[in-house]
Amino acid sequence: MNLVDHVNLRKADILRYIDFCVAPPVNWISSQLYDRFSLENGYFASNPKWTPFRQTPPKYDKERVLDPKKYKPSLQTLESTFVALNSFYRHLIDEETCFGNPVPLAKRDCKHLIKDSQVKTISRLTEQQWQYLLDTAVELAENDPLLERNLFIVATMKTLFLRLSELSERQDWTPIMSNFWTDEDNNWWFKAYGKGKKIRDITVPSGYLPFLKRYREWRGLSPLPSRGEQTILVEKIRGRGGLTSRQISRLIQQVFDAAFEKMKSEHGLDTAQKLNEATTHYLRHTGASMEIERARPLKDLSEDLGHSSSATTDTVYVQVERKKRASTGKNRKVE
């Protein structure tokens, strides 16, 4: 289909495309992630294993065998599809290739998008689960110095509300030690390169500095970073450069697995289950939620998180009203 074909598409055509995405051919669905192109003899070639749709089991049940015939995209996936289509049409309009956008109308009438009015929950750890995770990371590092990296990563992700990409090496950014800096009042900050290629400065609490000092001591560095220090923040043990998102994720998962086993043995499966389900993004959510619970101003937290407005932070994290609602409804009587 060329650009001229897109000009002639109507709302019904967009809806048929969404229907296709909801129930694609079975051989278009994979249970594993493959690169779309592979490098062969210096040239990129199409990877025959790649599929446009992927179906994965939940993190806590990786052994589950999935039936591709039961594939169903999440509401978030469908929302993302509409966002991508909308962006594409905005580009066509900017280039004066077409003069109308059928996507908003199609989204309004899409039968697969269900308006969500259910109680919102945040993917976060409780205070007790977080303490187990941190204590486990400390214990692992004391038993094996190589795991000091794991401790530093876990403490940093949670305390500075970082996304995985903000701590990893990317094509256009490598986090270095001088991303930590002090202002004229000796307040510490961390410079992060976030979504939308935006750089923001995150406040660094005093309670975090001992973890930074401990990590730097393990690496044979001075207690705190100096201005202009080019040392890579999270370095590979073998080879050169910083860690990728996937490598950092594996180090975090080591701690999650150990903390889950420890908590399960001491408090039972139900109490520890969330540690088994948790992903790296739980650390960011946990840190932010705890800040709200200690009544930190929403505007300050929003800037640390890199949200475009406080309204985003309010929508995602504030659960005070939900807790009040649960409290007032808990003691209802049947008779």
Side-chain angles (χ1 to χ4, degrees):
M1 182 179 289
N2 57 39
L3 292 181
V4 176
D5 294 324
H6 285 94
V7 174
N8 298 321
L9 289 180
R10 299 177 178 273
K11 179 182 75 173
D13 300 308
I14 301 295
L15 290 175
R16 279 196 295 272
Y17 172 69
I18 297 298
D19 287 341
F20 174 83
C21 291
V22 169
V26 172
N27 61 347
W28 284 35
I29 305 169
S30 172
S31 60
Q32 296 184 46
L33 177 63
Y34 296 103
D35 292 330
R36 186 169 185 176
F37 300 98
S38 56
L39 187 61
E40 298 177 6
N41 300 321
Y43 295 92
F44 282 101
S46 296
N47 184 354
K49 293 184 178 180
W50 177 82
T51 59
F53 299 91
R54 186 161 65 101
Q55 185 180 32
T56 55
K59 175 176 171 285
Y60 58 87
D61 190 12
K62 293 181 180 179
E63 302 303 317
R64 182 190 301 181
V65 178
L66 300 174
D67 183 356
K69 294 180 181 178
K70 296 180 180 180
Y71 169 82
K72 184 179 181 181
S74 65
L75 288 177
Q76 184 178 1
T77 298
L78 291 178
E79 288 279 2
S80 297
T81 302
F82 275 107
V83 168
L85 288 171
N86 200 43
S87 297
F88 177 59
Y89 268 93
R90 283 207 307 269
H91 169 72
L92 295 180
I93 291 171
D94 289 344
E95 296 296 316
E96 298 185 348
T97 302
C98 72
F99 301 95
N101 181 358
V103 176
L105 289 175
K107 182 178 180 181
R108 185 195 65 188
D109 294 342
C110 180
K111 64 184 178 182
H112 304 292
L113 285 178
I114 302 171
K115 290 185 178 180
D116 186 3
S117 61
Q118 57 189 330
V119 173
K120 300 289 191 302
T121 58
I122 300 299
S123 300
R124 59 160 292 184
L125 304 176
T126 64
E127 292 267 4
Q128 184 188 26
Q129 289 163 344
W130 161 246
Q131 198 58 56
Y132 257 84
L133 189 70
L134 184 61
D135 290 346
T136 300
V138 171
E139 185 179 328
L140 290 172
E142 289 175 349
N143 292 333
D144 183 354
L146 193 59
L147 299 181
E148 287 287 346
R149 274 192 319 174
N150 303 57
L151 170 59
F152 173 73
I153 290 169
V154 167
T156 301
M157 292 276 290
K158 182 265 183 185
T159 309
L160 304 187
F161 326 117
L162 296 185
R163 302 177 180 94
L164 194 60
S165 61
E166 293 170 348
L167 198 58
S168 60
E169 182 175 77
R170 286 178 278 175
Q171 187 175 5
D172 50 354
W173 182 267
T174 300
I176 56 178
M177 284 294 180
S178 58
N179 289 153
F180 286 103
W181 61 278
T182 55
D183 60 22
E184 63 276 7
D185 297 316
N186 206 35
N187 298 309
W188 279 92
W189 301 81
F190 179 75
K191 197 173 295 294
Y193 181 52
K195 279 185 175 180
K197 296 185 177 181
K198 293 179 181 178
I199 294 178
R200 72 184 188 280
D201 289 304
I202 305 168
T203 56
V204 176
S206 300
Y208 169 79
L209 295 181
F211 291 94
L212 178 58
K213 290 178 180 178
R214 173 177 178 154
Y215 175 64
R216 285 177 59 84
E217 180 183 0
W218 171 69
R219 292 185 60 180
L221 303 170
S222 60
L224 290 171
S226 58
R227 184 183 297 273
E229 184 177 346
Q230 296 297 305
T231 308
I232 292 175
L233 192 61
V234 186
E235 203 170 36
K236 293 177 180 175
I237 300 297
R238 299 181 183 85
R240 301 175 61 182
L243 297 183
T244 64
S245 293
R246 189 171 297 182
Q247 290 168 330
I248 291 176
S249 181
R250 282 200 293 265
L251 295 180
I252 295 173
Q253 190 59 51
Q254 277 184 270
V255 184
F256 271 128
D257 291 343
F260 167 68
E261 293 298 334
K262 180 180 179 182
M263 196 172 194
K264 183 176 72 170
S265 66
E266 296 178 4
H267 294 278
L269 178 60
D270 290 344
T271 304
Q273 182 60 29
K274 190 164 283 188
L275 286 171
N276 194 32
E277 300 171 357
T279 64
T280 55
H281 212 58
Y282 271 57
L283 297 175
R284 173 176 160 90
H285 287 325
T286 299
S289 299
M290 287 181 178
E291 286 294 277
I292 287 175
E293 288 166 359
R294 76 175 185 91
R296 188 177 179 203
L298 205 60
K299 181 179 181 298
D300 294 345
L301 177 59
S302 179
E303 291 183 5
D304 275 352
L305 288 164
H307 286 161
S308 56
S309 71
S310 298
T312 304
T313 312
D314 182 76
T315 301
V316 175
Y317 293 110
V318 175
Q319 302 180 54
V320 175
E321 293 304 316
R322 177 177 65 83
K323 291 182 179 180
K324 287 182 180 177
R325 178 182 165 195
S327 177
T328 57
K330 188 180 295 184
N331 296 322
R332 291 200 304 272
K333 293 184 179 181
V334 177
E335 297 178 356

